[in-house]
């Protein structure tokens, strides 16, 4: 096997090929100037496949069918998967004090609640939601509770399903008392307890593809996902999400994301330092209907 060389840069045609691939498969924009990012993320894959460089890996891609497993692995390697437990703690405070109490009151008749973590990466976000529910809303144990975590990357989803995290990962955002209460040592890692893992279903989903088979959701976390999309993809995803949310549902975006100039189907509501987006259509009875 040949080790990849330290490439100073990536030839423009090769970078353009990767940028087109990422845009077509995931609506992610890989802008000029990010050649270093492509090199750093694809070097391990080039090494694994015996290519002498990332440019050689791109040459190999050109010989493969566009739907080949190798193309999937390249897209997987190029996607960003940054997450932490209880990321930006303010949304979770708002979830505990405002959002979940209101949703629980509205759904009391049907005793159902559906939550979606879209772009969940290695699972810290949906596990944080599940731990918040377990800690503060024990009455939901008798409800039909759905927590779905989705991501485009099969690699990070496999890690999410395992529910195992290194010391650095649990040190980032996870309160010590929750580590003690809900995790056990597993060699050099920490494993989240099975009862929390059973609360969440993980599924591979590409947000720019069809959303068939999804239920209406009362609460959606879709943070720091659209920042990588082009404008048209943002509009399409927001339009679909407005229809996927239940009436009186909540959408949480990243701190630098907004629906402004992208969709008029949401009202922005602030709760402290957290901004929630809610569908403009209203359920006149305040119930669980669409």
């Amino acid at each position: 096997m040949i080790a990849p060389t330290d490439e100073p840069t990536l030839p423009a045609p090769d970078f353009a090929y990767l940028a087109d691939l990422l845009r077509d498969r995931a609506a992610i924009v890989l802008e000029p100037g990010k050649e270093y990012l492509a090199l750093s993320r694809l070097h391990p894959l080039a090494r694994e496949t015996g290519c002498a460089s990332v440019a050689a890996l791109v040459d190999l891609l050109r010989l493969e069918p566009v739907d080949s497993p190798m193309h999937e692995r390249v897209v997987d390697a190029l996607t960003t998967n940054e997450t932490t437990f209880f990321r930006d703690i303010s949304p979770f405070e708002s979830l505990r004090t405002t959002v979940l109490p209101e949703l629980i009151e509205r759904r009391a008749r049907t005793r159902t609640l559906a939550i979606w973590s879209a772009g969940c990466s290695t699972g810290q976000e949906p596990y944080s939601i599940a731990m918040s529910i377990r800690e503060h809303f024990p009455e939901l144990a008798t409800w039909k509770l759905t927590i779905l975590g989705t991501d485009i990357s099969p690699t990070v989803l496999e890690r999410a399903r395992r529910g195992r995290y290194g010391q650095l990962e649990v040190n980032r955002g996870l309160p010590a008392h929750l580590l003690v209460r809900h995790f056990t040592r597993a060699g050099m890692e920490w494993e989240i307890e099975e009862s929390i893992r059973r609360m969440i279903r993980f599924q591979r989903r590409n947000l720019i593809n069809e959303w068939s088979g999804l239920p209406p959701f009362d609460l959606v976390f879709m943070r720091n996902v659209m920042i990588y999309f082009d404008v048209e993809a943002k509009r399409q995803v927001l339009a679909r999400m407005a229809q996927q949310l239940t009436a009186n549902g909540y959408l949480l975006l990243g701190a630098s994301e907004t629906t402004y100039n992208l969709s008029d189907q949401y009202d922005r509501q602030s709760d402290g330092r957290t901004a929630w987006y809610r569908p403009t259509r209203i359920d006149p009875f305040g119930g669980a209907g669409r």
Side-chain angles (χ1 to χ4, degrees), residues 9 12 23 37 65 99 102 123 128 132 195 200 202-203 208 229 246 277 280 287:
T9 188
R23 184 183 64 250
L37 184 66
V99 173
E102 180 186 320
S128 297
S132 294
S195 62
I200 304 163
F202 290 102
Q203 185 180 93
I208 65 168
F229 292 173
T246 58
Y277 294 88
T280 51

Side-chain angles (χ1 to χ4, degrees), residues 249-260 263-280:
Y250 287 84
L251 169 65
L252 181 66
L253 303 177
S256 64
E257 296 172 313
T258 180
T259 63
Y260 183 69
S263 174
D264 59 1
Q265 295 176 276
Y266 298 88
D267 287 327
R268 184 181 187 273
Q269 297 183 6
S270 295
D271 182 32
R273 295 169 57 189
T274 301
W276 298 93
Y277 294 88
R278 311 191 68 182
T280 51

Side-chain angles (χ1 to χ4, degrees), residues 10 15 27 41 65 73 97 118 135 147 197 216 224 241 259 264 280 289:
L10 193 60
F15 181 76
R41 293 187 177 179
R73 295 184 67 188
T97 60
E135 290 290 314
I147 304 178
R197 291 204 307 274
N224 304 311
M241 191 63 76
T259 63
D264 59 1
T280 51

Side-chain angles (χ1 to χ4, degrees), residues 49-289:
T49 56
C51 295
S53 64
V54 174
L57 176 63
V58 175
D59 287 340
L60 181 62
L61 286 176
R62 290 190 174 102
L63 299 176
E64 297 278 338
V66 293
D67 58 350
S68 73
M70 184 59 67
H71 282 79
E72 290 293 322
R73 295 184 67 188
V74 167
V75 171
D76 190 8
L78 288 173
T79 53
T80 299
N81 298 298
E82 171 64 21
T83 187
T84 63
F85 287 103
F86 295 95
R87 188 175 186 177
D88 307 323
I89 189 63
S90 295
F92 289 93
E93 286 298 313
S94 179
L95 184 70
R96 178 179 64 84
T97 60
T98 302
V99 173
L100 280 176
E102 180 186 320
L103 288 175
I104 289 171
E105 181 179 356
R106 289 185 180 278
R107 305 297 180 249
R109 182 175 59 83
T110 60
R111 296 169 64 85
T112 62
L113 192 64
I115 301 170
W116 182 13
S117 172
C120 69
S121 187
T122 45
Q124 286 94 320
E125 181 173 87
Y127 283 134
S128 297
I129 295 169
M131 282 187 282
S132 294
I133 289 173
R134 179 65 60 83
E135 290 290 314
H136 302 293
F137 302 96
E139 66 269 29
L140 292 181
T142 61
W143 283 36
K144 181 182 178 182
L145 175 65
T146 299
I147 304 178
L148 176 67
T150 69
D151 202 277
I152 193 175
S153 168
T155 304
V156 299
L157 286 172
E158 182 57 33
R159 285 204 61 213
R161 292 186 184 100
R162 291 180 65 235
R164 288 191 175 193
Y165 301 94
Q167 189 66 52
L168 180 61
E169 291 172 308
V170 297
N171 285 347
R172 298 182 66 195
L174 183 65
H177 71 280
L178 295 183
L179 176 64
V180 171
R181 191 172 302 170
H182 297 297
F183 290 76
T184 56
R185 272 286 189 183
M188 299 297 291
E189 297 178 308
W190 291 90
E191 183 176 74
I192 197 164
E193 64 182 330
E194 185 179 355
S195 62
I196 297 291
R197 291 204 307 274
R198 285 201 305 265
M199 294 174 68
I200 304 163
R201 177 168 57 95
F202 290 102
Q203 185 180 93
R204 188 181 183 191
R205 287 268 178 178
N206 186 336
L207 290 178
I208 65 168
N209 292 343
E210 291 298 321
W211 294 10
S212 59
L214 290 177
F217 288 100
D218 303 296
L219 172 64
V220 176
F221 278 53
M222 189 173 66
R223 298 197 289 169
N224 304 311
V225 175
M226 294 196 305
I227 56 175
Y228 303 106
F229 292 173
D230 60 30
V231 171
E232 184 55 33
K234 291 177 183 179
R235 288 176 174 153
Q236 290 179 6
V237 168
L238 286 172
R240 289 179 182 175
M241 191 63 76
Q243 299 306 310
Q244 201 68 47
L245 283 164
T246 58
N248 304 302
Y250 287 84
L251 169 65
L252 181 66
L253 303 177
S256 64
E257 296 172 313
T258 180
T259 63
Y260 183 69
N261 280 341
L262 295 170
S263 174
D264 59 1
Q265 295 176 276
Y266 298 88
D267 287 327
R268 184 181 187 273
Q269 297 183 6
S270 295
D271 182 32
R273 295 169 57 189
T274 301
W276 298 93
Y277 294 88
R278 311 191 68 182
T280 51
R281 70 184 193 284
I282 297 298
D283 175 6
F285 302 104

Side-chain angles (χ1 to χ4, degrees), residues 33-51:
K34 295 292 182 69
E35 289 83 358
Y36 70 93
L37 184 66
L39 287 171
S40 64
R41 293 187 177 179
L42 293 179
H43 263 145
L45 184 56
R47 183 182 301 113
E48 181 183 334
T49 56
C51 295

